[in-house]
């Protein structure tokens, strides 16, 4: 769901993707996604979580947590409302 971390932490220095330090290209892609999320005032982690849950073939999404705070954050993300317009804006990133 979180791409080994970067979709939970965002494009912060040291962000990880695919179990390694994220490449500059991945970091830049996440920055573009973060800007769209910010435009709609939706957290990046919520978008990642809701995206994983959006396909009809997905019955469950299980996200790990090391702390109670992370559990609470994950629940908030699982319950987040992501407007249809945000998904459209993200899809348009691929065509820009």
């Amino acid at each position: 769901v979180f791409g080994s971390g970067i979709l939970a932490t965002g494009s912060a220095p040291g962000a990880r993707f695919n179990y390694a330090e994220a490449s500059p290209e991945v970091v830049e892609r996440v920055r573009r996604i973060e800007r769209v999320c910010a435009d709609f005032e939706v957290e990046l982690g919520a978008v990642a979580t809701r995206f994983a849950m959006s396909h009809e073939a997905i019955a469950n999404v299980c996200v790990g947590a090391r702390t109670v705070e992370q559990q609470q954050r994950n629940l908030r993300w699982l319950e987040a409302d992501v407007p249809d317009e945000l998904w459209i804006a993200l899809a348009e990133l691929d065509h820009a």
Side-chain angles (χ1 to χ4, degrees):
V1 171
F2 300 125
S4 300
I6 196 164
L7 296 178
T9 65
S11 59
R16 299 187 64 74
F17 175 72
N18 205 18
Y19 302 102
E21 187 168 337
S23 69
E25 295 82 15
V26 168
V27 171
E28 181 52 36
R29 174 98 171 131
V30 170
R31 284 188 182 126
R32 290 194 308 267
I33 294 169
E34 287 174 315
R35 285 191 289 273
V36 171
C37 292
D39 288 346
F40 289 90
E41 299 179 359
V42 178
E43 294 176 87
L44 175 64
V47 171
T49 304
R50 298 298 299 172
F51 179 80
M53 296 173 54
S54 68
H55 194 279
E56 63 189 37
I58 302 300
N60 296 298
V61 172
C62 180
V63 292
R66 290 185 298 243
T67 66
V68 171
E69 291 79 16
Q70 287 178 346
Q71 287 177 326
Q72 292 169 339
R73 177 204 65 195
N74 292 344
L75 179 59
R76 184 178 73 247
W77 287 349
L78 285 164
E79 295 176 339
D81 180 38
V82 179
D84 291 340
E85 295 81 10
L86 186 148
W87 299 120
I88 293 166
L90 288 177
E92 291 173 353
L93 286 178
D94 289 332
H95 304 292

